[in-house]
């Protein structure tokens, strides 16, 4: 089934919003620290059972989905008409927003994945020989920040898609009008017309 540009836009926005929501909830659910339980020569950290790690990975997964659909939508052959990548990247505004969207997606992925993995490691390795440990959790604020950057990335993919649509229109205008813009006349056509007038 062929997808339209509007459907791609809705998918990018939908996945981006889901990534944002899961990231914000993960940040709100994350405990400030665990509870230290002293043992013989060790401290065992007990963490409350909360969905921070699962929500963090879900936020990251939906960010990847939004980015993948965003990339796919830029080069998708709408109505069976494909455009060479070189024609899209000739537009300087498209090139700028494409690179910004890629960078923002990478930054959001790092901000979401780093605290999620850190939180999971804290829970897996919860036995400490340092008797003064305060049972740390992942750095506060990173998941929330990653959620907002993830939403920004989705919006930037939508802007890049609009600019790609403009570049597509320009490309097809050039293909459909091989004589150039504004009805340009080549010198060969002009000379041939002048010769024909002289013969007449």
């Amino acid at each position: 089934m062929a997808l339209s540009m509007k459907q791609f836009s809705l998918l990018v926005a939908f996945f981006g919003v889901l990534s944002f929501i899961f990231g914000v909830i993960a940040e709100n659910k994350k405990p400030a620290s665990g509870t230290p339980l002293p043992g013989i020569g060790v401290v065992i950290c007990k963490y409350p059972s909360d969905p921070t790690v699962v929500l963090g990975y879900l936020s990251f997964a939906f960010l990847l989905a939004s980015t993948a659909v965003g990339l796919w939508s830029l080069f998708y052959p709408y109505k069976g008409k494909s455009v060479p990548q070189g024609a899209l990247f000739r537009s300087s505004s498209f090139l700028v927003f494409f690179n910004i969207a890629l960078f923002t997606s990478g930054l959001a992925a790092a901000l979401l994945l780093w605290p999620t993995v850190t939180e999971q490691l804290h829970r897996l390795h919860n036995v400490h020989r340092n008797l003064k440990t305060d049972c740390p959790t992942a750095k506060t604020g990173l998941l929330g920040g990653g959620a907002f950057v993830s939403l920004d990335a989705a919006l930037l993919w939508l802007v890049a898609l609009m600019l790609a649509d403009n570049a597509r229109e320009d490309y097809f205008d050039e293909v459909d009008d091989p004589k150039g813009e504004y009805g340009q006349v080549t010198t060969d056509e002009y000379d041939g017309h002048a010769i024909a007038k002289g013969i007449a």
Side-chain angles (χ1 to χ4, degrees):
M1 182 183 85
L3 293 173
S4 67
M5 197 167 284
K6 183 178 179 181
Q7 289 170 317
F8 270 114
S9 301
L10 290 173
L11 281 173
V12 170
F14 177 70
F15 290 139
V17 168
L18 282 180
S19 175
F20 169 72
I21 290 170
F22 283 126
V24 168
I25 296 173
E27 180 66 51
N28 289 334
K29 295 286 184 184
K30 187 183 80 61
S33 64
T35 306
L37 302 173
I40 301 170
V42 294
V43 172
I44 300 170
C45 291
K46 182 174 176 53
Y47 293 97
S49 96
D50 63 87
T52 302
V53 173
V54 173
L55 292 172
Y57 282 125
L58 280 173
S59 179
F60 176 71
F62 281 114
L63 167 66
L64 288 184
S66 177
T67 303
V69 173
L71 273 169
W72 189 27
S73 69
L74 299 178
F75 308 107
Y76 185 78
Y78 296 101
K79 298 178 182 176
K81 294 181 178 180
S82 60
V83 176
Q85 290 184 11
L88 292 176
F89 287 110
R90 263 191 318 206
S91 167
S92 57
S93 53
F94 170 78
L95 181 63
V96 167
F97 274 93
F98 176 80
N99 286 318
I100 292 173
L102 269 182
F103 172 77
T104 308
S105 297
L107 179 62
L111 288 172
L112 290 172
L113 201 55
W114 178 24
T116 303
V117 171
T118 304
E119 187 72 13
Q120 186 176 21
L121 289 174
H122 281 312
R123 289 163 190 264
L124 289 174
H125 306 291
N126 63 340
V127 179
H128 301 276
R129 297 197 178 277
N130 178 9
L131 300 179
K132 294 181 180 179
T133 187
D134 55 355
C135 295
T137 58
K139 189 171 177 62
T140 302
L142 288 180
L143 278 168
F148 278 98
V149 178
S150 178
L151 185 62
D152 290 340
L155 294 173
L156 286 166
W157 284 118
L158 293 177
V159 173
L161 181 56
M162 287 188 286
L163 293 170
D165 186 39
N166 292 342
R168 286 173 61 84
E169 288 178 7
D170 292 343
Y171 172 77
F172 287 123
D173 285 346
E174 289 175 12
V175 169
D176 294 340
D177 184 15
K179 294 183 179 179
E181 294 182 356
Y182 308 111
Q184 291 174 330
V185 178
T186 61
T187 54
D188 292 340
E189 289 174 343
Y190 179 75
D191 292 343
H193 185 64
I195 292 169
K197 282 182 74 176
I199 293 171

